[in-house]
Amino acid sequence: MSRMHSFSPLQFALTTSTASAITHKVPRRFFQSTAMTGLSRIKPAARVSGQKQDVWSIINEAAAASPKQPIVNMGQGFFGYNPPDFILNAAKEALDRVECNQYSPTKGRPRLKKAIADAYSPFWGRKIDPETEVTITTGANEGMLSAFMAFIEPGDEVIIFEPFFDQYISNIEMPGGKIVTVPLHPPSTGATRTSSAADWAVDFEELEKAITPKTKMIVLNTPHNPVGKVFSKKELQNIGHLCVKNEIIILSDEVYDRLYYVPFTRMSTLSPEIEALTITVGSAGKNFYATGWRVGWLMGPADLIKYVSAAHTRICYSSVSPLQEACAVGFEQASAQGFWDSTIHDMKSKMDRFNKVWDELGMPYSDPEGGYFVLVNMNKVKLPEDYPFPDHVASRPRDFKLAWFLIQEVGVAAIPPTEFYTDKNAHLAEDYVRFAVCKDDEVLEEAKNRLRGLKKYME
C-alpha cells in the first residue's frame, strides 16, 4: 500500500520548483525514450538486485501488522539500555572539544588505539603496538569489509561457518570473493532436550575438504552469533593448524569477547605462527552497550594491518571522532569501574532469567556459552495448517513462519536463523528461533508472560 505524503506550502514550492528546473534542463527525448523502454538502461547492480526480501524487513513488516501492540522486540541485537555513565559523560565532554568534532586520523584517534593496545596486551602476553597493529573502523562490520577488500581478489575463496552473520556474505562478494560454507552441526537431540551451545560441532574432515588452493581466508566467530558457542581451545588449535599448513588468513570475529560464561580463548594467543595469520575484530558497540556508535577495530600483525588500514581509508577515510574519544575512556576506566565483570554477571543473569520460560514450557534450547542470543527449538509448536501467512513468508523455511506467528499471535519479535544459512543447509535450523536477551529485565518478564501463550499451540 503506498503512503501519501503531506507537504507544507514551502516544501511543496521547493519540490515543484526543483522538478521544474530538472525538467527544463533535461532534453524531452530522454523522457520519451525512457518511457518507451521502461528505464531499461537504468538497472541496479546484480549485487543488490534480485535478492529475497531480507529478514529484517520481514520481521519489521510483521511487527507493524501485528494486533499485539506494542511488540516486545527480542529480534535485533541492540541493547535496551544505555552505556554506563562514565562512558556517556566522556562522550558529552568530547563534544565540547574542537578537535573531537573534526576528522580523526584515518587509522583512528591515538588515545583510542593506545587504550585498546593497553587493554589487550595482557591477553596477548606481549605489548601490542598501537601505531602498527591496531586500526579503528566504523563499526566492526566496516572493519571486516576492509579486511576482505584488502586481501580478496576475484575468485579467491573464503570459508565461513554456518550459521553466519549475514553481512559476511555481501562483504565477501563485494571484492569478488567466492563463499565456501562449512556447517556447525546442531546436537541430534536438539528437538527434545536442552544442551550446551558447545554441542554445535565442527566436522574437521569436512573443513579440511573445503580447503582448496584458492582458499585465501577463513572467518571465525567466537563467541558465536547466533549459536552462543565459544569455540574450545582444541577447536581453535585445529582450525589454526589447518590455516598455518595452508597459509590461510584467519579473520577472527570476536565482537562478543567480553561476554563469555565459560573459558574463552582468543585465536591470536595460541601460537606465534597462528598470530602471524590472524586479524582480530572488535566492537565498542558490543563492549559498551552502544551499537549505534559504530566504533570498531582490527588488531593483527603490522604486515596485515597496514593493508586493512589502506582499504579502510578508501572506504570511509575516518570514523566518528567524539565517540572514539569516549570509547578510549571506556577502555581506560572499565577495569577500575568493575565494568567487565559486571557485564558478564548482568548478561548471564538476563540469560538465565529469560530461559526459565523455556524450562516451564518444556521447550529445549541451546544454552549459550557467550554473547546475548539464545536459539530455541520450537519443533513442539504446531502451526495451524490454514494460517494466513503472506506469500513471501509461506515460501520460506519453517522458522520464518514461526517468527511471523510469534509476532502476530503472541506479540514477541524474534529472528529466524535460516537467514544465516545457505539454502543447502537451512534445514539444520528450520525449527529454531533466535532471541536477544540484551533488554531491561521488565521487558524480559513481559516477553516471558507473552510466550507462555504458546502452550495452546504445543503438543
Side-chain angles (χ1 to χ4, degrees):
M1 190 169 96
S2 62
R3 292 184 180 180
M4 299 297 293
H5 294 278
S6 59
F7 297 94
S8 70
L10 177 59
Q11 288 173 317
F12 181 79
L14 288 172
T15 303
T16 52
S17 64
T18 302
S20 176
I22 292 171
T23 305
H24 178 72
K25 292 180 180 179
V26 178
R28 184 178 302 240
R29 64 179 178 275
F30 173 82
F31 294 102
Q32 291 172 336
S33 63
T34 54
M36 289 186 289
T37 62
L39 295 176
S40 61
R41 295 186 62 216
I42 303 177
K43 295 180 179 179
R47 69 180 66 92
V48 296
S49 64
Q51 303 293 318
K52 292 184 292 188
Q53 187 175 6
D54 68 272
V55 68
W56 317 111
S57 300
I58 290 174
I59 295 304
N60 289 337
E61 177 185 327
S66 173
K68 308 289 186 181
Q69 298 293 341
I71 292 294
V72 177
N73 189 348
M74 299 191 69
Q76 284 181 277
F78 57 82
F79 294 88
Y81 39 87
N82 267 336
D85 286 344
F86 74 95
I87 295 174
L88 288 179
N89 291 337
K92 295 170 186 176
E93 291 168 8
L95 289 170
D96 290 329
R97 294 163 52 190
V98 172
E99 74 276 13
C100 288
N101 290 305
Q102 310 307 321
Y103 295 124
S104 287
T106 184
K107 292 183 179 181
R109 296 187 68 77
R111 184 178 182 181
L112 178 55
K113 290 190 297 178
K114 181 180 185 301
I116 289 171
D118 289 347
Y120 284 90
S121 289
F123 301 127
W124 264 240
R126 66 170 183 83
K127 184 169 176 55
I128 295 171
D129 187 336
E131 296 306 313
T132 63
E133 297 182 299
V134 180
T135 252
I136 308 304
T137 59
T138 307
N141 185 50
E142 187 265 318
M144 287 186 278
L145 174 61
S146 295
F148 296 129
M149 288 292 190
F151 292 104
I152 301 303
E153 299 278 10
D156 286 343
E157 294 177 355
V158 180
I159 295 175
I160 62 175
F161 291 101
E162 295 184 87
F164 43 73
F165 176 49
D166 55 338
Q167 289 291 101
Y168 293 163
I169 303 302
S170 57
N171 286 351
I172 294 167
E173 290 177 340
M174 286 284 186
K178 178 186 175 184
I179 294 158
V180 177
T181 60
V182 174
L184 296 176
H185 294 276
S188 59
T189 57
T192 57
R193 68 178 181 87
T194 294
S195 60
S196 171
D199 293 337
W200 289 67
V202 180
D203 182 328
F204 282 97
E205 287 186 12
E206 201 170 15
L207 175 59
E208 190 159 14
K209 287 178 181 177
I211 295 172
T212 76
K214 292 184 177 181
T215 305
K216 188 73 169 287
M217 188 180 290
I218 186 168
V219 182
L220 177 74
N221 178 207
T222 181
H224 189 276
N225 169 22
V227 172
K229 174 185 177 73
V230 171
F231 281 72
S232 70
K233 186 175 182 178
K234 183 178 180 180
E235 287 174 321
L236 295 179
Q237 286 172 329
N238 288 341
I239 294 168
H241 170 73
L242 288 172
C243 291
V244 170
K245 175 183 175 183
N246 295 280
E247 293 186 290
I248 298 169
I249 296 169
I250 304 163
L251 187 64
S252 190
D253 178 356
E254 299 178 13
V255 297
Y256 302 98
D257 74 322
R258 301 289 179 166
L259 288 171
Y260 53 87
Y261 319 123
V262 298
F264 171 56
T265 301
R266 301 167 192 276
M267 191 71 175
S268 275
T269 66
L270 289 174
S271 73
E273 294 78 16
I274 291 173
E275 181 184 5
L277 293 170
T278 303
I279 300 169
T280 300
V281 184
S283 168
K286 302 297 192 300
N287 284 172
F288 299 131
Y289 313 159
T291 58
W293 284 19
R294 312 308 296 145
V295 177
W297 61 86
L298 299 177
M299 296 183 294
D303 60 348
L304 297 182
I305 290 296
K306 66 181 179 181
Y307 298 114
V308 175
S309 297
H312 162 71
T313 299
R314 287 156 180 78
I315 292 170
C316 63
Y317 181 71
S318 68
S319 302
V320 59
S321 297
L323 300 182
Q324 285 192 55
E325 200 74 3
C327 291
V329 173
F331 275 110
E332 290 166 357
Q333 297 186 17
S335 293
Q337 298 274 353
F339 178 69
W340 301 129
D341 290 338
S342 66
T343 289
I344 292 172
H345 176 268
D346 293 348
M347 195 63 75
K348 185 64 167 68
S349 296
K350 290 179 183 296
M351 189 68 74
D352 292 343
R353 172 190 290 267
F354 179 66
N355 286 339
K356 285 179 180 177
V357 73
W358 311 120
D359 296 328
E360 287 178 33
L361 293 169
M363 202 175 292
Y365 56 94
S366 288
D367 194 11
E369 299 181 303
Y372 49 67
F373 297 110
V374 58
L375 284 180
V376 180
N377 191 297
M378 294 197 166
N379 177 266
K380 293 180 179 179
V381 175
K382 302 305 174 186
L383 299 172
E385 291 184 9
D386 58 349
Y387 196 80
F389 293 108
D391 290 344
H392 63 279
V393 173
S395 62
R396 301 292 284 269
R398 173 177 153 83
D399 60 332
F400 274 80
K401 301 179 185 70
L402 285 165
W404 185 276
F405 187 79
L406 283 175
I407 291 171
Q408 300 298 321
E409 302 301 323
V410 181
V412 177
I415 296 297
T418 62
E419 179 77 1
F420 312 136
Y421 279 84
T422 57
D423 290 343
K424 175 185 175 183
N425 289 317
H427 67 279
L428 294 172
E430 64 181 359
D431 282 329
Y432 287 90
V433 178
R434 189 196 80 174
F435 295 84
V437 306
C438 48
K439 314 296 177 183
D440 283 325
D441 288 349
E442 294 79 6
V443 173
L444 298 179
E445 289 301 324
E446 177 60 22
K448 288 163 62 178
N449 286 334
R450 296 187 183 198
L451 288 164
R452 291 183 180 105
L454 288 173
K455 288 179 182 177
K456 60 184 175 183
Y457 302 107
M458 295 173 64
E459 287 182 329

